Structures are given as structure tokens and as C-alpha cells.
Amino acid sequence: MTTIHSETKLPMATDKASQIQKSSKQDLFEHPDFYLLDDLLSEEHKMVRSAVRDFVKREISPYIESWAEHAYFPYEMVKKFGEIGAFGPQLPEKYGCGGMDYIAYGLIMQEIERGDSGMRSTASVQGSLVMYPIYKFGNEEQRQKYLPKLASGEWLGCFGLTEPDHGSNPSGMTTHFKDMGDHYLLNGAKMWISNAPHADVAVVWAKNEEGRIHGLIVERGMEGFSTPETHGKWSLRASATGELVFDNVKVPKENLLPGKSGLGAPMMCLDSARYGIAWGAIGAAMDCYESARRYTLEREQFGKPIASFQLQQKKLAEMLTEITKAQLLNYRLGQLFNEGKATTAQISMAKRNAVETALNIAREARQMHGGMGITQEYPMMRHMANLESVVTYEGTHDIHLLILGADITGIPAFK
Amino acid sequence: MNILVCITHVPDTTSRIAFTNDNTEFDKNGVQFIIGPYDDYALARAVELKEQHGGKITVLNVGEAETEPTIRKALAIGADEAVRVNAFPSDSFFVANQIAAVAKQGEYDLILMGRESIDFNGGMVHGMVGELLGLPSFSPVMQLDVEGTTAKITREIEGGKEKLEVSLPFVAGCQEPIAEWKIPNMRGIMSARTKPLNVVEPTDATVHSQLSKYELPPAKGAVKMIDADNVEELVDLLKNEAKVI
Ligand SMILES: Cc1cc2nc3c(=O)[nH]c(=O)nc-3n(C[C@H](O)[C@H](O)[C@H](O)COP(=O)(O)OP(=O)(O)OC[C@H]3O[C@@H](n4cnc5c(N)ncnc54)[C@H](O)[C@@H]3O)c2cc1C
């Protein structure tokens, strides 16, 4: 893997920006609702969904294939996400956030990921992995300082947990900090960090001298802190990924998140983000299903629409069945979140189920489009490639299985 | 600036149109309702004018309780309060009377609405409201800027555009590109919850038209290809089959 190293925030990649093309294809997406789940949504939920869908159709769909093709992170979307209210919609209004419930949060993630998983990653990292820990574990000064600017999109944030040698096993992390009296001295490196190359703020998990994990807020411009970009990704190409390198970074003491320490703290953030992924991945699945439904009705072979052949109908029927099951699972999980009762294992089940469903549907839908299915005319290849990241980050598919296994048997198999 | 924006509650432009009850009623089954697209432009411009000049936006709909989600959306987009005149919008004259009655109770500098609704496409209400209130009315307005007590407007006319300077107050039927449609943001949706939506009963007004039957336009026929040399057949078909010449 080649990486470039730069000390400062990456400038806008203007050479790429000039290559971005607007597609003239109209995005006609409508969601399937086979079990009339809309009847369970409030008018407000429906307004949220339609607003974000309109936003995606206007701001994302016309450009996304071109952004992905050129591996271009559309920085201008950060401000736009802030304006629509996609950053931390579930956090309180007094910090500039939405004050919405978890069903609304899920619907927002579903609609954004229906557009693109990379775009949803930008939004869910900011909302669930940066703003959420500052809100949950930060003190009032930290909340006041960071949350409004992160909510409005004035600042972009990232979340540093994974390290080059510690992915599925974050408790083994080696990034550490030392108490120097008037500040902490931070050393180590994080890898695979979404938003890192453009981030103004990083929530970094590191061990203190006793080996206990704490969250620190590291800001761009602190000496010894750099964020080299990771190039050559075939997945989440419209999202920027990078490293966080800490070389004797002096972090002010007031930047430590005082509310919680230990691995449980970052895991709580992941619970919230994984919930968003469960809804988001089904958004991607719906996009592929809808495309396949429309295409097979229009495309004729052997003198009739390919949708009239039993094999294609079987595929459509199975896709809709899986989407409907996942929608019900997500909706119920949202209710549990609203009541504060969702467990980590329940969240693992929903995330794992949704991503697998989406991957299978993307693959089947692509085949149903024949040769056309491999082009940018249709979204399946992009979703399929994106979902390879989604099935890996925030706990791999295997790890979620092990979390469920441990919950069922009481025997953790990953230790 | 005090702006009244009148909105319709109409089927989405992509809806499948069908009728029931012996073709005397529109079949609402499975139909998504939206703010009339032209009204949406009027609302978007009102929000921009409020951003520039301050003031208050009242949104008005003549309709039964089912229109409230549409009204809430207008509040989410940026209106400050709403009035719903609790009546079925029977025809243009009836609706114009209701709007005029509400308008008389507030001191509005501008009364904006779409150039026409997209269900019945009458395009008459703005003219009638102007008449009933003794105010000038303009339509279709493509551009609207306000300075002090006058406004500069651009109106589309046959084969061109007309630029006018008008003093407030007046009525305008709006169309694109007066503003870009606004998508409500999450904070707007949350605050719409607590904004006042007042329901008032209709004033007496005559309904002048009665609906007797709906009819769908005939289905599009297949395209007939005629040999480029065969002008005779073309003329014959246009004359005797299509009956257009
Ligand atoms: C595009 C992208 C964006 C990301 N963004 C972020 C981010 O913003 N912040 C962040 O902190 N991280 C981020 N990640 C990192 C991500 O969370 C890790 O990649 C993930 O946790 C897996 O770690 P790893 O890559 O080191 O794989 P490994 O842990 O090395 O796993 C390799 C394989 O081994 C399997 N495996 C590991 N342990 C076990 C076990 N005990 N039993 C059975 N199988 C096992 C895994 O399931 C996997 O299949 C991102 C990753 C990607 C690809």
C-alpha cells in the first residue's frame, strides 16, 4: 500500500474536482414497503425520510458515480450534511443537533446509504463516533466547544480506534499517552480511519500509563499530529480514509474525555454507529432491488420482459423477503434504542443481517442487469464494492457472529 | 415583511391517476400528496425574502384535516405559522373567497401562491384574490425582489418577459426560477412540531361549478411508421384516422 504523508490538512483535490461530471439520469427511487411499515411511522418520520431522500436525489445521486470513479471525497458535502441536519440528529437540540429519536436517525442513515455507503460513513462517523462520545463522555465545556461546530459541518471529525496491528482486537492497542503534569504526551498510530485526511478533530482512543483506555480529543494543527491518506481503495471511494500518526503530540489536559474509560467507552459509540449501519445497508439493498425490479420489467429477451421468467421472479421475491425481514428487525431495534434497551448482541444481529442481505442483493441484482449491470449506469457494482468495507468495519462479519455466539452460550470465543 | 403563502395539497406528479364511484371521485389509494410544485416555489422565495428582510411567513391552505402533513412540511421549510380553512376546496371562486377572508385579517405585504395548482390547473385563484381584496395581481411571476415598499418583478408573457415595478401589497402567482425548492432540514422538521397551525371555519361563499365526471385522456396509441416517399398515405391517415387536417 502506498501512502502519502502530509503535515497539514489536504487541500481540495482541484484536479479531481474538475473531472467530476453530473449525470443526467433521473433518480426515481421509491422504497419497497411490503409489510406496510409506513403505518408504524409518524408523520414526522415520513417527513424526515422524504426530506433526506430529496436531498440525496439532489446532492448525491447526480455525482456519486463520478466521485467514486475519481476517488474524490466531496468536501462540500460536509457543509451540506450539516445544513440538512445529518450530523448527530439523535443528539439534543441545545448543541445544534436534531433532538430526534432513533427511528428518525435510522431513516436518515438508510436514505443516505441508499445514495452511497461512503457518504453514509461520513455522516455516521461524525454523528455516532465523534459527536456521540463528546456528548456522552465529555464535560459541558467540551460539548459547547465541539458539538455545534460538528453539527453544522463547520468541522469534520474522525474516530481513531483501529491500529495497524490491532483491528478486531482493539484492546491490544499500543497508542498511549503519558501525564506530563500540564499536558499529556501522545504517541502511536491509527489506521483505516474514515474522514481522517480532512478532519479538524479526532476522537482518539489510547492507553494511559496504567494501560487503561481513554478518549482524547486531538485537533488538527497540534504539533506532531499528521493524517496521511490511504490510497488505492476499491471500496468507499467517495469517502476519504487515512492514518492518524502521533509523534510526541502534546494534548492539553482538558481534551481528555472524563466521562468513561476502558474499552466499553468506544464500544458504546460503535453500538450507536452499528445501529445506523443496519438501516443504511438496507438502504443500499433497496436501491439495488429497485433497480433490478425496474430493469427486468423493461428489458426484453425472447420476446418478453425478463421479469416474466420464473428465475428472475424468484430472485425478486427473495430480495423483497430479505429486505422486509431486515426492515422489521431494524424497526424493532429502533424501538429498543428509544427505550434504552438495545443490547450489543441485538445490534450485532441487525448489523450482520443487514450487511449480508445487502451484499447478496447487490450481487443478484447486478446479474439481473446483464452486461449493463457492470457499468456506472446502475448502482450495484458501487454498492457491492462499498459493502465490502461495511461488512468489515465496526466489527467484521465474523466478530459479530462471535458476539452473538458469546451471548447465546456465555462463552466468548474470541478471547 | 409580512408574507402570506397559499399552498395546495396535490397528488405527487408521478402518481397513478384513477377514479372511483362511477368516475366521480379521484382515487386517493396509494397516492402521495405534496405541496403544489408552483406553491413550493412561492414558499421558497418567501423564505429567502424573510432571510433578507426579516418578518413573518404565514402559510394558508383551504382543505380538510388530511392536508395537515403537507402544511407541517411548509412549516418545516420555514413558515412561522399556518392557517387551515377547514373546507373542501370546491372550486377557484370558493377558495379565493376563503383566502381573501383570511388575508383581510392580517396586514400582508405580499400574498404569494403558485401560478396554478397541479390537480385542476385552474390558474385563476390569484386573479380572484386580487379582485376580492382590491389589490393588483400578477402571474406568472418568475422573479421577485423587494426594496422598501416596492417590488421589482419579472413576469412571463407571450413570447417574452415583462419587467415591472409594483408597490406593496399585491398578489403574485409564482413559477420557476423565482427560487429553488427548499428541502426541510431536521431542525426545521422538529420545530414545525410546535409552530401554531390554526384551524378556522370557512366563510360563506358560493360554489359556482359542479363536478359531473372525470375522464382520463385516451391511452397513447402505437407509432405508425410511413415510408418517406408515401406522402399520400400520410395525408390520408392524418385526415381520416387522426382527423387533424
Ligand atoms: C474503509 C474503512 C474505513 C474504516 N474506518 C474506521 C474508522 O473510522 N475508525 C476505526 O477505528 N476503524 C476503522 N476501520 C477499521 C475497521 O474497523 C477494521 O478494519 C476492522 O475492525 C477489522 O480489523 P482488521 O482490518 O485489522 O482485520 P483483522 O482484525 O486482522 O481481521 C482479519 C480477518 O480475521 C478475522 N478474525 C479476527 N479475529 C478473529 C477471531 N477471534 N475469530 C475469528 N475470526 C477472526 C476477521 O473477521 C477478518 O475476517 C475502517 C476500515 C475500513 C476498511
Side-chain angles (χ1 to χ4, degrees), chain A residues 76-132:
Chain A
E76 64 275 15
M77 283 304 298
V78 177
K79 202 94 215 159
K80 290 181 182 175
F81 277 135
E83 275 160 22
I84 189 86
F87 291 147
Q90 79 286 21
L91 300 177
E93 285 165 288
K94 69 170 177 170
Y95 302 113
C97 305
M100 304 187 128
D101 72 357
Y102 269 87
I103 302 282
Y105 177 59
L107 288 166
I108 295 169
M109 294 301 124
Q110 171 188 299
E111 291 304 317
I112 298 177
E113 189 148 4
R114 202 282 300 173
D116 186 68
S117 305
M119 290 291 99
R120 198 270 304 136
S121 301
T122 302
S124 62
V125 165
Q126 181 99 332
S128 280
L129 299 181
V130 182
M131 295 169 68
Y132 176 84

Side-chain angles (χ1 to χ4, degrees), chain A residues 242-415:
Chain A
E243 296 167 48
L244 303 175
V245 181
F246 313 105
D247 180 10
N248 284 319
V249 181
K250 286 184 186 169
V251 181
K253 284 204 149 166
E254 65 263 23
N255 284 25
L256 183 106
L257 294 174
K260 193 170 166 76
S261 65
L263 192 62
M267 288 302 141
M268 271 173 75
C269 308
L270 292 176
D271 276 353
S272 163
R274 287 165 181 171
Y275 168 76
I277 294 176
W279 283 80
I282 291 307
M286 287 177 185
D287 200 35
C288 296
Y289 163 78
E290 261 303 291
S291 187
R293 191 185 61 82
R294 243 181 266 128
Y295 187 83
T296 52
L297 283 167
E298 281 164 14
R299 171 77 175 167
E300 292 194 2
Q301 285 295 285
F302 301 97
K304 47 187 174 179
I306 53 176
S308 39
F309 299 109
Q310 289 183 355
L311 271 179
Q312 306 307 323
Q313 291 189 3
K314 173 178 187 282
K315 288 179 184 180
L316 289 170
E318 285 177 352
M319 286 179 183
L320 184 59
T321 306
E322 290 308 315
I323 288 173
T324 304
K325 279 153 70 177
Q327 279 177 309
L328 291 165
L329 205 65
N330 288 347
Y331 182 82
R332 177 62 189 146
L333 185 61
Q335 288 180 322
L336 293 173
F337 254 93
N338 283 341
E339 293 163 16
K341 292 199 294 206
T343 67
T344 297
Q346 285 167 341
I347 299 161
S348 286
M349 181 186 281
K351 190 246 180 189
R352 192 171 184 281
N353 173 66
V355 183
E356 181 166 300
T357 297
L359 269 168
N360 290 339
I361 289 177
R363 213 171 289 128
E364 287 287 5
R366 200 225 57 73
Q367 286 187 38
M368 292 164 81
H369 287 72
M372 285 310 289
I374 69 153
T375 69
Q376 291 182 1
E377 272 298 294
Y378 296 94
M380 292 79 57
M381 286 293 286
R382 180 172 46 79
H383 282 312
M384 200 190 299
N386 281 342
L387 287 162
E388 290 298 331
S389 288
V390 182
V391 79
T392 300
Y393 67 24
E394 312 248 359
T396 67
H397 212 51
D398 298 333
I399 292 297
H400 287 298
L401 198 76
L402 297 181
I403 293 173
L404 279 167
D407 194 77
I408 297 165
T409 62
I411 310 164
F414 40 82
K415 283 186 183 152

Side-chain angles (χ1 to χ4, degrees), chain B residues 3-217:
Chain B
I3 310 175
L4 181 68
V5 181
C6 310
I7 61 164
T8 52
H9 164 86
V10 293
D12 198 350
T13 46
T14 56
S15 307
R16 187 190 59 94
I17 304 295
F19 304 108
T20 56
N21 212 358
D22 200 19
N23 285 343
T24 56
E25 267 173 48
F26 173 59
D27 184 2
K28 290 180 194 161
N29 207 359
V31 171
Q32 189 76 33
F33 282 82
I34 58 170
I35 300 176
Y38 294 114
D39 310 327
D40 224 353
Y41 286 121
L43 176 62
R45 188 60 193 147
V47 172
E48 291 172 355
L49 288 172
K50 187 188 151 179
E51 275 164 14
Q52 291 167 17
H53 304 281
K56 194 173 101 178
I57 301 171
T58 305
V59 66
L60 166 63
N61 168 257
V62 181
E64 290 167 329
E66 62 183 17
T67 71
E68 288 196 2
T70 302
I71 301 174
R72 285 272 170 226
K73 184 173 175 193
L75 291 169
I77 286 172
D80 299 284
E81 58 175 55
V83 178
R84 178 172 69 80
V85 179
N86 188 24
F88 183 76
S90 308
D91 68 9
S92 303
F93 185 71
F94 177 82
V95 171
N97 270 282
Q98 306 310 324
I99 294 174
V102 172
K104 275 180 197 155
Q105 282 163 30
E107 300 211 331
Y108 297 105
D109 302 301
L110 282 172
I111 300 174
L112 305 182
M113 61 189 80
R115 58 176 280 181
E116 63 192 53
S117 63
I118 60 148
D119 45 6
F120 291 94
N121 302 73
M124 292 183 280
V125 173
H126 33 75
M128 291 178 177
V129 171
E131 185 63 28
L132 289 166
L133 294 173
L135 294 177
S137 96
F138 305 92
S139 181
V141 175
M142 316 160 69
Q143 226 176 331
L144 165 61
D145 290 292
V146 176
E147 233 171 84
T149 55
T150 52
K152 285 195 174 119
I153 64 177
T154 305
R155 202 170 73 88
E156 190 179 343
I157 54 170
E158 196 68 38
K161 289 179 193 167
E162 180 182 58
K163 288 181 187 285
L164 297 163
E165 237 181 82
V166 206
S167 49
L168 307 180
F170 61 88
V171 183
C174 305
Q175 73 171 31
E176 73 280 12
I178 194 162
E180 206 188 336
W181 284 328
K182 297 218 178 308
I183 297 170
N185 65 26
M186 300 306 119
R187 285 174 287 280
I189 292 171
M190 290 306 277
S191 65
R193 239 190 221 181
T194 51
K195 288 179 180 174
L197 194 172
N198 305 310
V199 180
V200 300
E201 289 309 315
T203 58
D204 280 343
T206 326
V207 174
H208 286 284
S209 52
Q210 221 66 49
L211 185 117
S212 46
K213 218 177 183 73
Y214 288 109
E215 215 172 278
L216 285 174

